Each structure stands twice: as structure tokens, then as C-alpha cells.
């Protein structure tokens, strides 16, 4: 499988690169900063410089030709303002979907976030509110497209060692999940096409990842 990952230098993306490479798949990471190329190569991925805030849809589509799937794991990141939450977490995800359709790549996995379905309560930090709204807008756009999409909403992310056991369901209780477990769930979803059309929330739990993903069936 050839998988193109937007936000290729992010923590989840780099873990996913390693998971894919370990299975003999080809991981391609889209990065904004060419200085990050060495880190991607070390993770077993092929780096491609493509700034999702500035690249055109045709140029991006050219990078996707021949891919079996795309994965959006990009984010404006800590320290960014509300404006970049919109241009990265919403607009870049939509751009990737446009490019995927132009390149005839049907499988699209979107890393979103728990908490996007409800409007943030009064007093919520302005930037975090913008982040949640951007993620929800990206979900709404993707779910209306003729693509084999799956939306994954992780709980609070940690860098703890993976447990290999999760709760994966449409509505999960609040909780944490390791980034490595999220990466392994993403790869398992790529290998489980019957999860297309599903919106899933994931936190740590008791079910082995393979069993939890196999139980997802939206067809």
C-alpha cells in the first residue's frame, strides 16, 4: 500500500510512517519545512515538500497519483492563532480531499478530535474554540464527498508507551490514548475498508486494536 500523509512531520504521522514501513508499505510524508526531510527518512518515509497553506490543488494532486490512500494528520500546532487553525485544520484538510478526488484516490482518513460535535461552552479559550470549529468543518466537508472516508477522533493524546488496547466506538467516554496506539489504529483502519463511512472516537480501553477495528462495519 502507498499512503500519503499530510502533516508528515507531526508526532502521529511519524509513528504512522514507522508502522507502515514495518509492514512493507510505502509511506509518503508531505512537509512544509525541507529541514524535516531527514526525520521522515529516519522514520522510513519518503518526504515531499508541499506547503498545504500555499500549494495549489493540481500540484498537490500530482503528489497523490498512484497512492492507495491519503491520511490527514496535519495541524497548526501549539502556539498558532485562530487564523491558522482555520487555514490548516480546516482548509488544508479540504484541499487534500479536493486533490484526492482529482488524483482518483478514494480512501481518505482524517484525524480529528473528540469534542467537536458540541459548541464549546462560554469561556472556552478562543484559539481552542477555533480549533474545534475548524476540525468539525473539515469533518462536515469530508462526510459529504464521494470518497471512502473514515474520521478518527482521538481523546487526549499522550506520549506514554502503547497499551495495544482501546475503546473504539461512535461515542467514547472522555479519556486519554497514546499516540502510538492512534497510529496503529490508523494503519489498521487502512487495512479494513469496511470502516469507510464511519466516524469513530478512540481512547484507551480493554479491546485489542485488531479486534476493535475488525468490529467496525459501515457497509
Amino acid at each position: 500500500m502507498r499512503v500519503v500523509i499530510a502533516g508528515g512531520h507531526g508526532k502521529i504521522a511519524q509513528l504512522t510512517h514507522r508502522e507502515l514501513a514495518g509492514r512493507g508499505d510505502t509511506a509518503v510524508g508531505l512537509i512544509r519545512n525541507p529541514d524535516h526531510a531527514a526525520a521522515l527518512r529516519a522514520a522510513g518515509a519518503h518526504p515531499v515538500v508541499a506547503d498545504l497553506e500555499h500549494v495549489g490543488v493540481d500540484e498537490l494532486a500530482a503528489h497523490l497519483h498512484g497512492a492507495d490512500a491519503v491520511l490527514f494528520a496535519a495541524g497548526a500546532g501549539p502556539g498558532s492563532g485562530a487564523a491558522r487553525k482555520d487555514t490548516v485544520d480546516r482548509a488544508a484538510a479540504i484541499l487534500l480531499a479536493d486533490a484526492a478526488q482529482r488524483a482518483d484516490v478514494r480512501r481518505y482518513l482524517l484525524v480529528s478530535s473528540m469534542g467537536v460535535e458540541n459548541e464549546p461552552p462560554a469561556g472556552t479559550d478562543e484559539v481552542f474554540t477555533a480549533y474545534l470549529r475548524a476540525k468539525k468543518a473539515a469533518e462536515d466537508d469530508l462526510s459529504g464527498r464521494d470518497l471512502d472516508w473514515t474520521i478518527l477522533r482521538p481523546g487526549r493524546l499522550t506520549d506514554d508507551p502503547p497499551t495495544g488496547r482501546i475503546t473504539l466506538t461512535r461515542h467514547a467516554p472522555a479519556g486519554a490514548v497514546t499516540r502510538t496506539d492512534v497510529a496503529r489504529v490508523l494503519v489498521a483502519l487502512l487495512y479494513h475498508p469496511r470502516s469507510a463511512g464511519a466516524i469513530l472516537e478512540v481512547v484507551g480501553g480493554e479491546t485489542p486494536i485488531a479486534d476493535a477495528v475488525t468490529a467496525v462495519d459501515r457497509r
Side-chain angles (χ1 to χ4, degrees), residues 25-106:
D25 295 317
T26 299
V28 178
L30 303 179
I31 54 175
R32 178 172 57 91
N33 186 345
D35 292 341
H36 294 159
L40 265 69
R41 292 190 186 98
H46 301 275
V48 171
V49 178
D51 186 342
L52 296 178
E53 292 180 272
H54 298 97
V55 70
V57 64
D58 288 330
E59 181 181 347
L60 184 56
H63 295 310
L64 306 185
H65 282 298
D68 298 290
V70 296
L71 166 60
F72 187 85
S80 57
R84 289 203 69 228
K85 301 302 183 189
D86 184 72
T87 58
V88 177
D89 292 280
R90 180 195 63 81
I94 291 173
L95 175 66
L96 184 65
D98 290 338
Q101 289 184 303
R102 193 159 299 189
D104 197 28
V105 180
R106 292 198 55 82

Side-chain angles (χ1 to χ4, degrees), residues 7-159:
H9 189 251
K11 290 183 177 181
I12 288 177
Q14 291 198 61
L15 291 164
T16 306
H17 295 323
R18 293 183 185 278
E19 293 293 325
L20 289 167
R23 297 182 68 132
D25 295 317
T26 299
V28 178
L30 303 179
I31 54 175
R32 178 172 57 91
N33 186 345
D35 292 341
H36 294 159
L40 265 69
R41 292 190 186 98
H46 301 275
V48 171
V49 178
D51 186 342
L52 296 178
E53 292 180 272
H54 298 97
V55 70
V57 64
D58 288 330
E59 181 181 347
L60 184 56
H63 295 310
L64 306 185
H65 282 298
D68 298 290
V70 296
L71 166 60
F72 187 85
S80 57
R84 289 203 69 228
K85 301 302 183 189
D86 184 72
T87 58
V88 177
D89 292 280
R90 180 195 63 81
I94 291 173
L95 175 66
L96 184 65
D98 290 338
Q101 289 184 303
R102 193 159 299 189
D104 197 28
V105 180
R106 292 198 55 82
R107 192 73 170 108
Y108 187 126
L109 267 61
L110 173 69
V111 179
S112 186
S113 173
M114 289 180 65
V116 301
E117 286 189 309
N118 301 314
E119 186 66 13
T124 301
D125 176 76
E126 174 187 353
V127 174
F128 186 64
T129 295
Y131 166 76
L132 292 175
R133 288 173 176 168
K135 285 295 190 186
K136 185 60 167 64
E139 287 190 9
D140 290 345
D141 176 86
L142 183 60
S143 62
R145 292 178 182 259
D146 181 24
L147 287 170
D148 296 329
W149 54 267
T150 303
I151 294 167
L152 184 67
R153 298 172 175 169
R156 180 174 57 84
L157 295 166
T158 77
D159 292 319

Side-chain angles (χ1 to χ4, degrees), residues 199-210:
I199 299 175
L200 302 165
E201 296 183 346
V202 61
V203 294
E206 299 299 326
T207 306
I209 289 173

Side-chain angles (χ1 to χ4, degrees), residues 156-211:
R156 180 174 57 84
L157 295 166
T158 77
D159 292 319
D160 294 336
T163 67
R165 293 180 177 271
I166 58 170
T167 294
L168 182 68
T169 184
R170 179 63 181 82
H171 296 288
V177 62
T178 77
R179 287 182 170 86
T180 300
D181 282 327
V182 171
R184 291 174 179 174
V185 169
L186 290 167
V187 173
L189 288 169
L190 286 170
Y191 275 88
H192 186 58
R194 296 179 74 86
S195 65
I199 299 175
L200 302 165
E201 296 183 346
V202 61
V203 294
E206 299 299 326
T207 306
I209 289 173
D211 293 343

